Amino acid sequence: MPRDHRPTKSIRVLLAEDQGMMRGALALLLGLEDDIEVVAQVAAGDVIVDAALESRPDVALLDIELPGISGLDAAARLRQEVPDCRVLILTTFGRPGYLRRAMEAGAAGFLVKDGPVEELAASIRRVLTGETVIDPALAAAALSAGPSPLTTRECDVLKASADGSTVADIATRLHLSESTVRNYLSSAIGKTGTRNRMEAMREARQQGWL
């Protein structure tokens, strides 16, 4: 519908997606809805808050895997900096751990990308009424999976080891002693039931704990 014929009050949406083709397609499809207007598009997590402060969206539609910071971290920042903006996570990775982290970050909804755009548009409208919208299959999986067994520090150490850094490098980066880093890594390996830190990191990511 041409912009002049839109309702007086359209739902303003910020779209954060690092894949240009997907971002463009979503913006185009949502723009066809009579009552939705995409007012900002970004490709990285660390520019989401600035874009929201400038464009003042009603709803931020965020992918999880973004350059800079993740959509989950950006959701938590939006809650602090732009509290009137509702956050809807839209991701390829329907992992129970991601859902729990999204809810803890203050997200109002969590959907996977394989749904129809009509469902997405309806979810955008629903979160504005105060509802929480969650993919039903993912909600059931999250309940059965339970919370992450990893502590915040164990997650920090695993993330810091992702690039193959040595224990000494990780210790310097996180301002910890080398023995403390080894203890955290050992604990994380035990909790994930893996054989080494790289396997522990992969398992934690697969579960959505990182």
Side-chain angles (χ1 to χ4, degrees), residues 12 25 27 51 56 67 92 105 108 120 157 164 167 195:
R12 298 169 61 82
R56 291 293 171 179
T92 304
L120 175 58
V157 170
V167 169
R195 297 173 297 179

Side-chain angles (χ1 to χ4, degrees), residues 89-158:
I89 299 293
L90 182 66
T91 182
T92 304
F93 305 102
R95 297 168 181 167
Y98 279 163
L99 172 57
R100 286 181 176 276
R101 289 170 59 199
M103 296 300 102
E104 290 169 359
F110 194 108
L111 299 173
V112 291
K113 290 180 181 177
D114 58 1
V117 70
E118 293 82 8
E119 180 180 320
L120 175 58
S123 296
I124 290 172
R125 299 181 186 106
R126 288 171 62 192
V127 297
L128 268 188
T129 68
E131 288 187 56
T132 298
V133 182
I134 300 173
D135 179 87
L138 186 58
L143 287 173
S144 63
S148 169
L150 301 175
T151 66
T152 300
R153 266 313 194 183
E154 287 165 355
C155 289
D156 290 342
V157 170
L158 283 180

Side-chain angles (χ1 to χ4, degrees), residues 162-186:
D163 59 358
S165 295
T166 66
V167 169
D169 290 337
I170 296 170
T172 299
R173 195 180 312 162
L174 298 181
H175 307 291
L176 300 171
S177 69
E178 292 185 29
S179 62
T180 298
V181 169
R182 290 193 184 93
N183 288 339
Y184 282 137
L185 287 173
S186 177

Side-chain angles (χ1 to χ4, degrees), residues 8-63:
T8 305
K9 174 62 176 173
S10 291
I11 301 170
R12 298 169 61 82
V13 173
L14 178 150
L15 180 58
E17 163 64 57
D18 63 328
Q19 297 183 24
M21 186 176 294
M22 172 67 76
R23 186 173 64 252
L26 279 172
L28 178 62
L29 290 170
L30 289 173
L32 295 175
E33 298 292 319
D34 292 349
D35 58 343
I36 294 176
E37 180 181 7
V38 177
V39 295
Q41 299 181 47
V42 300
D46 49 6
V47 297
I48 288 173
V49 170
D50 286 344
L53 287 170
E54 182 177 347
S55 61
R56 291 293 171 179
D58 301 304
V59 177
L61 191 60
L62 311 181
D63 191 11

